[in-house]
Amino acid sequence: MSWYRKETDSVFEELDSSKDGLSSEQAEKRLEQYGPNELEERGMRSPWSVLLGQFTDTMVIILIVAAVISFFLGETTDAIMILIIVVLNAILGFTQEYRAEKAIAALKKMSVPTVRVRRDGQIKEVEAISLVPGDIVLFEAGDRVPADGRVVESVNLRAEEAALTGESVPVDKTDKKFDDEKLPIGDQKNMVFAGTAITYGRGSVVVVETGMNTELGNIADMLQQVTDEKTPLQRKMDELGKWLAIAAFFLVAIVFAVGVWRGGELDEMFLTAVGLAVAAVPEGLVAVVTIALALGAQRMVKRNALIRKLPAVETLGSITTICSDKTGTLTENRMTVTVLDVAGTRIDLTTKMEKTGATLKKKEAPIVEPDRDLSLLLAGGALANDATLQKNEDDDGYHTIGDPTEGALVVASARLGLWKEKLDLLIPRVGEVPFTSERKRMSTVHEINREMELEEDPYKYLLESLPENKYIVFTKGAVDSLLNICDRVWTEGNIEEINDDWQSRIEEANNNLAKEGMRVLGVAMKCIDEVPGTGQEALEDKLIFIGLTGMIDPPRLEVRDAVAECRTAGIRPVMITGDHPYTALHIARDLGIVISEEGKDDNELVITGKQLADMSVDDLDDVVTDISAYARVSPEHKVKIVEALKNRGQIIAMTGDGVNDAPALKRSDIGVAMGITGTDVSKEASDMILLDDNFATIVHAIEEGRTIYDNIRKFIKYTMSSNIGEIFVMLVAPLLGLPIPLNAIQILWINLVTDGLPGLALGIEPTAPDTMKRPPHPPTESVLSRGLGKYMILVGPLMGLIALMPELLNNYTAVTYSGATWRTMVFSTLALAQMGNALAVRSDRLTIAQLGIFTNPALIGAVVLTFALQMAVIYVPFLQNIFDTTALSFGQLMLSIGLSTIVFVVVELSKWIKQIMDRNK
């Protein structure tokens, strides 16, 4: 219901209430009717549900089946190892995911324990949970808002709504109605909303919505309705698992049929076929993926990115679009004066501020050479001001206390050498006319202390610029409001009458700053000999206009480079904010998120919440890939934007820090919350938390995600080509009329040990130099795409053919080996060929010499250890009995090693030839 469109009398009539509030009896009845003022939990997953969900992936099911079959084959050790992998994977997944179900609990923490209400005609303190529609709630600065309410009385009432709307500036509240339809939350200035805070003034509201019917409740409802989707990696692993299951089934049938046809025993052929089917499944894949993700998550923590859900690590590598909240994410979440305008002379402070850093320090030099005009402007802004500076406890810097806008003026004054504590001694306040939303200004009266000894230039210039009067009045406020009460203007130390030319110059400067997305305040003054006792009319009349201050929540310094790196990496950044369209567009342009196009005006570059509300999903789908800035956006709109982008096949990272971001964070592929300024709600709904609130950290995380995905592909490329080599050996030998060369225990040894150790080492391969210079891999691509499947089909049979060479030499040449010898040679050649394969798959394009042999020491160590283990299987007597091997002579061993290097040489040679061909194109 559009409560903001109703007069307060109409609201009272509809709610059957009044300014005196409800009676206790009415409140009790309504509590039964509407229920308690709290958020409900709906459809929360139980711990058991989350745990059981870890066993539903196709690859995990295949591993469980493989473990059961291994038990029946008598391979108890192999079965136990497989089950350990499954259990560890489930534990890791459970601990990461169960925390994601706590977002609603974090929302509940935002409730207010007690509030002051007017009931039975008296002011009472009641529990917030017992509030009902029609209650009159009283507020003052520092109070939390417990329910949605229509403002009945506002005495300079301001509410900070950044957590709900994303707008960093507190909103002035009024009791006047608004006629606009579909007015965004940030513009409903006669409403207060649950979960926000009162920062200034006092007032009263009539409660119109409680519990799940509030805007906060609406967010909670959306948060619980959003369903978790599988990540790209999970979908690809499922796809691979299904194909492997089908392949394993047909493999069992083919090997069993061929073996029986060749005269083999039924039970022996069945065990061999099933053993080969188990071998075809890369048991180490789930372990490698989990370990790669876990190690990646550890590396990310060192770079200030905390991963809450392991699959999110890889998903980062697939990101095509980053939807970022503005306030506190792209910007510093602190209003800052960036422009001073005195007598038409504009001074831009942005670059000067960048050199000093964000922290205000006492000993820093003024960022601009002070003069009389600037000293007067900044002193006026700092003195007609209730904000103060307070020293930080943990360093030598200072922070502001009070309204952010007023704090920005105090900081700007200090950065130019005029500290408020000293100004208060030099020109102490003796009277004031407080700010009101009707006048849009405040005035203060100060006594000029001319006896004070001064050393610093800014204070001298200030005093020299003041006439010989005893008192001075400073007024600050909206420029149009000040022009109505000013008849003169200050220009280069002189005072002139305001004529039409001066009027238009001031108005033009004001409009230009507003178009740059700035909040503009003017400062005026007049000097008097005595303080009038007749009120504001006497003080705020015939003032001298001094100048303008333009302030904005500035972009973080490192974000521009991060945005540029995103574009180089083929990732599109999008800004979504509850702030004003002018402000959004200015920041987006400044950061490079929006790039102006010829023939397009500003209205075509940014879409507002009001436009989004009128758009159908199809309408939004048509423009969502072209628009990079959204303003005055509500929580529903954020989810709508994410949905539209996902409909266009995009993989979305959504950053945010407020309650309003939580549903979109959970709906996106990667929800990224802020660790410092982020609410508990946004953190619990996220997949990743930025510990330093730095947008640039996302870029580092994406680089890590791409590296991990590349490494998982390398493992799949390695293990599947090796497994195809094993299958080739087991299938081709019987078809050629030769004995089956490997038994089940030898196949499982190769699959778990020879595949496993180098495979794990491939999972920690360092980041490639071009990782962030190429576009993200297509979200819909198969895990076997980009040459991986081709590699498996070509290299796997080559490896199998090379491994069969000892058996072929024994049967088709004059060379003769005993049965145990040629079987051991086939076994060793196949196992060692996989070591060369592991070294070769480190890069698709670069040879091992170009990469550096020792850039992945873990892989070198794994290859050396695996070689040693294979030698032990050949030469240690008790292992010979287990694996049915025999000791090879030096010549036989050298032949096996020589044959096994062919795969490595062929693959490396193909890379070299491809590089030559690419250079000659």
Side-chain angles (χ1 to χ4, degrees):
M1 186 175 291
S2 302
W3 295 103
Y4 65 88
R5 299 182 66 194
K6 300 177 182 294
E7 295 282 4
T8 52
D9 289 342
S10 300
V11 175
F12 283 133
E13 185 178 347
E14 195 153 338
L15 294 172
D16 191 19
S17 183
S18 69
K19 289 186 178 181
D20 292 329
L22 304 173
S23 67
S24 297
E25 291 181 4
Q26 284 178 306
E28 287 179 15
K29 288 180 181 178
R30 293 189 186 192
L31 190 60
E32 292 179 8
Q33 179 183 353
Y34 294 103
N37 179 35
E38 64 178 354
L39 303 180
E40 301 171 6
E41 296 184 14
R42 301 172 185 163
M44 297 289 286
R45 293 174 69 193
S46 68
W48 283 111
S49 174
V50 176
L51 181 61
L52 291 174
Q54 307 306 312
F55 299 96
T56 57
D57 289 344
T58 306
M59 281 300 299
V60 174
I61 293 171
I62 290 174
L63 287 185
I64 293 170
V65 172
V68 172
I69 292 173
S70 295
F71 270 120
F72 281 109
L73 290 174
E75 305 299 337
T76 308
T77 303
D78 297 324
I80 291 172
M81 289 301 298
I82 294 171
L83 288 178
I84 287 173
I85 290 170
V86 171
V87 171
L88 287 175
N89 178 70
I91 292 171
L92 282 169
F94 172 79
T95 54
Q96 293 286 337
E97 290 181 25
Y98 184 56
R99 292 175 61 195
E101 299 301 319
K102 296 181 180 177
I104 193 69
L107 274 169
K108 279 191 166 186
K109 291 178 186 176
M110 298 189 69
S111 62
V112 187
T114 59
V115 290
R116 289 185 305 133
V117 300
R118 194 175 285 134
R119 283 186 184 172
D120 299 319
Q122 297 178 341
I123 296 175
K124 297 181 178 180
E125 195 168 88
V126 301
E127 291 186 355
I129 198 172
S130 66
L131 282 180
V132 294
D135 262 327
I136 300 295
V137 182
L138 309 179
F139 290 122
E140 58 186 25
D143 287 345
R144 274 274 192 192
V145 179
D148 291 359
R150 170 71 162 82
V151 176
V152 175
E153 179 192 20
S154 171
V155 180
N156 305 323
L157 189 68
R158 291 182 198 166
E160 192 273 308
E161 299 175 343
L164 199 63
T165 66
E167 188 168 358
S168 53
V169 180
V171 181
D172 293 316
K173 295 299 178 179
T174 177
D175 60 354
K176 303 294 187 293
K177 74 165 187 170
F178 295 91
D179 294 324
D180 298 30
E181 291 187 23
K182 299 180 180 177
L183 201 62
I185 293 173
D187 292 331
Q188 295 179 23
K189 297 183 179 180
N190 57 6
M191 297 287 294
V192 294
F193 301 99
T196 62
I198 304 301
T199 61
Y200 192 83
R202 61 181 178 82
S204 62
V205 306
V206 56
V207 174
V208 294
E209 304 288 358
T210 60
M212 294 299 288
N213 294 322
T214 63
E215 289 296 331
L216 189 66
N218 185 33
I219 292 173
D221 190 47
M222 284 193 293
L223 197 59
Q224 294 174 81
Q225 288 178 11
V226 171
T227 55
D228 289 327
E229 294 185 357
K230 289 189 174 181
T231 68
L233 180 64
Q234 288 171 324
R235 291 195 291 268
K236 288 165 188 172
M237 290 298 100
D238 275 354
E239 176 194 5
L240 180 61
K242 287 168 185 173
W243 281 109
L244 287 174
I246 294 169
F249 175 79
F250 281 105
L251 190 61
V252 169
I254 293 170
V255 172
F256 181 74
V258 171
V260 172
W261 172 60
R262 293 288 303 155
E265 295 293 332
L266 285 176
D267 57 347
E268 182 185 347
M269 287 301 97
F270 177 74
L271 288 176
T272 301
V274 171
L276 189 58
V278 171
V281 177
E283 288 92 339
L285 180 57
V286 172
V288 167
V289 169
T290 303
I291 291 170
L293 295 179
L295 291 176
Q298 287 180 12
R299 289 194 295 271
M300 286 186 188
V301 168
K302 294 176 182 177
R303 302 180 81 172
N304 293 312
L306 176 64
I307 299 297
R308 295 187 62 252
K309 301 176 185 177
L310 277 184
V313 177
E314 179 277 331
T315 309
L316 282 162
S318 312
I319 293 301
T320 59
T321 304
I322 301 177
C323 295
S324 177
D325 187 41
K326 177 185 73 68
T327 305
T329 309
L330 298 171
T331 64
E332 296 178 356
N333 197 22
R334 58 181 181 88
M335 294 300 291
T336 304
V337 175
T338 56
V339 173
L340 301 174
D341 191 305
V342 183
T345 302
R346 173 170 167 157
I347 300 172
D348 194 330
L349 303 178
T350 305
T351 54
K352 299 176 178 65
M353 296 280 285
E354 288 176 358
K355 294 177 182 178
T356 62
T359 304
L360 174 65
K361 297 183 179 179
K362 192 80 171 181
K363 295 180 181 179
E364 69 183 38
I367 61 174
V368 174
E369 191 65 32
D371 60 25
R372 290 175 175 80
D373 295 345
L374 286 180
S375 296
L376 197 57
L377 173 63
L378 289 165
L383 288 167
N385 193 317
D386 291 325
T388 59
L389 287 172
Q390 183 169 311
K391 196 174 186 310
N392 299 338
E393 293 182 1
D394 52 353
D395 58 34
D396 59 349
Y398 285 76
H399 64 276
T400 61
I401 296 176
D403 183 83
T405 301
E406 294 197 325
L409 291 169
V410 172
V411 169
S413 178
R415 285 197 183 277
L416 272 79
L418 294 167
W419 288 76
K420 186 171 183 180
E421 61 182 350
K422 193 160 187 176
L423 286 173
D424 285 337
L425 295 175
L426 179 64
I427 314 175
R429 185 187 298 191
V430 295
E432 66 180 284
V433 179
F435 173 89
T436 64
S437 56
E438 290 77 20
R439 289 166 37 249
K440 297 182 180 177
R441 60 181 181 264
M442 76 173 289
S443 298
T444 53
V445 185
H446 303 264
E447 184 177 357
I448 303 173
N449 180 6
R450 299 186 186 277
E451 305 301 321
M452 187 172 173
E453 293 185 9
L454 300 171
E455 296 179 2
E456 298 93 336
D457 286 344
Y459 301 100
K460 290 181 181 178
Y461 290 143
L462 175 61
L463 219 54
E464 289 170 5
S465 64
L466 299 178
E468 294 297 320
N469 300 79
K470 186 177 182 181
Y471 300 100
I472 185 169
V473 178
F474 282 115
T475 301
K476 82 166 193 310
V479 174
D480 55 352
S481 168
L482 289 188
L483 285 176
N484 292 334
I485 56 174
C486 290
D487 61 359
R488 289 160 293 166
V489 62
W490 181 275
T491 172
E492 297 180 354
N494 299 311
I495 299 172
E496 296 183 10
E497 296 291 324
I498 290 185
N499 53 27
D500 291 342
D501 180 50
W502 271 115
Q503 181 94 8
S504 62
R505 285 169 65 180
I506 294 170
E507 288 175 349
E508 183 180 4
N510 179 41
N511 292 336
N512 288 339
L513 290 175
K515 285 179 181 177
E516 292 178 28
M518 295 192 187
R519 184 178 177 90
V520 186
L521 289 177
V523 178
M525 70 166 190
K526 75 173 178 181
C527 294
I528 55 178
D529 290 315
E530 58 182 32
V531 180
T534 53
Q536 72 180 55
E537 291 79 7
L539 286 177
E540 296 180 343
D541 184 43
K542 297 181 180 180
L543 299 180
I544 303 166
F545 190 87
I546 303 172
L548 309 172
T549 61
M551 62 188 74
I552 199 167
D553 181 11
R556 290 176 175 270
L557 299 181
E558 64 279 358
V559 170
R560 291 187 189 92
D561 291 338
V563 168
E565 191 170 357
C566 282
R567 291 195 176 279
T568 303
I571 300 165
R572 188 168 72 98
V574 174
M575 175 193 287
I576 304 177
T577 178
D579 224 330
H580 193 280
Y582 277 148
T583 307
L585 192 56
H586 175 76
I587 294 290
R589 274 182 172 147
D590 192 11
L591 293 173
I593 291 174
V594 168
I595 300 171
S596 297
E597 299 178 33
E598 191 174 341
K600 278 192 174 184
D601 61 27
D602 289 354
N603 292 331
E604 295 179 87
L605 298 174
V606 61
I607 287 181
T608 65
K610 194 170 184 179
Q611 291 171 293
L612 281 170
D614 294 332
M615 281 183 169
S616 66
V617 176
D618 291 339
D619 291 337
L620 185 55
D621 281 353
D622 292 337
V623 300
V624 74
T625 53
D626 299 321
I627 299 296
S628 295
Y630 298 85
R632 283 289 189 253
V633 171
S634 70
E636 298 93 331
H637 298 148
K638 291 189 177 188
V639 176
K640 191 175 182 180
I641 293 166
V642 171
E643 296 274 9
L645 284 166
K646 295 186 85 167
N647 289 344
R648 298 300 295 267
Q650 301 294 301
I651 300 293
I652 312 299
M654 168 72 186
T655 73
D657 58 358
V659 179
N660 60 326
D661 297 321
L665 287 175
K666 198 165 185 182
R667 181 66 185 90
S668 60
D669 297 285
I670 292 289
V672 184
M674 302 297 113
I676 299 172
T677 59
T679 59
D680 287 345
V681 181
S682 63
K683 291 175 186 176
E684 290 293 344
S686 69
D687 302 287
M688 181 174 85
I689 298 172
L690 302 183
L691 301 179
D692 58 356
D693 284 16
N694 192 336
F695 181 87
T697 302
I698 302 171
V699 181
H700 301 321
I702 288 173
E703 181 182 54
E704 189 68 51
R706 289 188 176 188
T707 299
I708 288 167
Y709 181 65
D710 288 346
N711 290 348
I712 290 171
R713 278 176 51 87
K714 287 170 190 173
F715 174 79
I716 294 171
K717 187 177 185 179
Y718 162 67
T719 191
M720 292 306 297
S721 57
S722 297
N723 285 6
I724 287 174
E726 298 169 35
I727 293 166
F728 184 92
V729 167
M730 298 296 286
L731 280 178
V732 172
L735 291 174
L736 293 177
L738 303 176
I740 292 176
L742 302 176
N743 59 33
I745 187 70
Q746 289 171 340
I747 293 169
L748 290 169
W749 168 265
I750 291 173
N751 221 38
L752 282 176
V753 180
T754 314
D755 280 4
L757 293 176
L760 289 171
L762 282 171
I764 55 173
E765 182 73 23
T767 301
D770 65 342
T771 297
M772 291 301 285
K773 295 178 182 176
R774 52 180 166 84
H777 54 268
T780 55
E781 78 167 13
S782 166
V783 74
L784 303 180
S785 64
R786 286 187 282 150
L788 195 152
K790 180 181 177 182
Y791 183 93
M792 287 163 43
I793 292 171
L794 294 177
V795 174
L798 173 63
M799 192 183 304
L801 181 61
I802 290 165
L804 276 176
M805 288 304 296
E807 187 175 8
L808 294 174
L809 289 172
N810 184 66
N811 283 275
Y812 296 108
T813 69
V815 178
T816 56
Y817 301 118
S818 68
T821 299
W822 67 256
R823 287 179 190 274
T824 302
M825 291 177 71
V826 169
F827 177 37
S828 299
T829 302
L830 184 58
L832 298 178
Q834 293 187 11
M835 299 305 95
N837 189 27
L839 294 172
V841 298
R842 287 183 61 193
S843 173
D844 294 332
R845 187 174 54 85
L846 301 176
T847 64
I848 193 168
Q850 293 168 325
L851 280 174
I853 295 174
F854 298 104
T855 50
N856 186 352
L859 180 59
I860 300 301
V863 169
V864 171
L865 178 58
T866 305
F867 180 85
L869 290 171
Q870 185 64 30
M871 292 303 99
V873 166
I874 297 172
Y875 293 107
V876 175
F878 85 89
L879 291 176
Q880 290 175 343
N881 294 330
I882 295 173
F883 289 95
D884 196 17
T885 58
T886 188
L888 301 178
S889 68
F890 179 77
Q892 293 164 349
L893 178 62
M894 287 302 101
L895 177 60
S896 292
I897 293 174
L899 288 170
S900 69
T901 61
I902 293 174
V903 170
F904 173 76
V905 172
V906 168
V907 175
E908 291 293 284
L909 190 61
S910 69
K911 293 179 192 175
W912 183 66
I913 294 170
K914 186 178 179 183
Q915 288 179 20
I916 294 174
M917 293 174 64
D918 288 342
R919 284 197 294 267
N920 293 333
K921 281 183 180 179

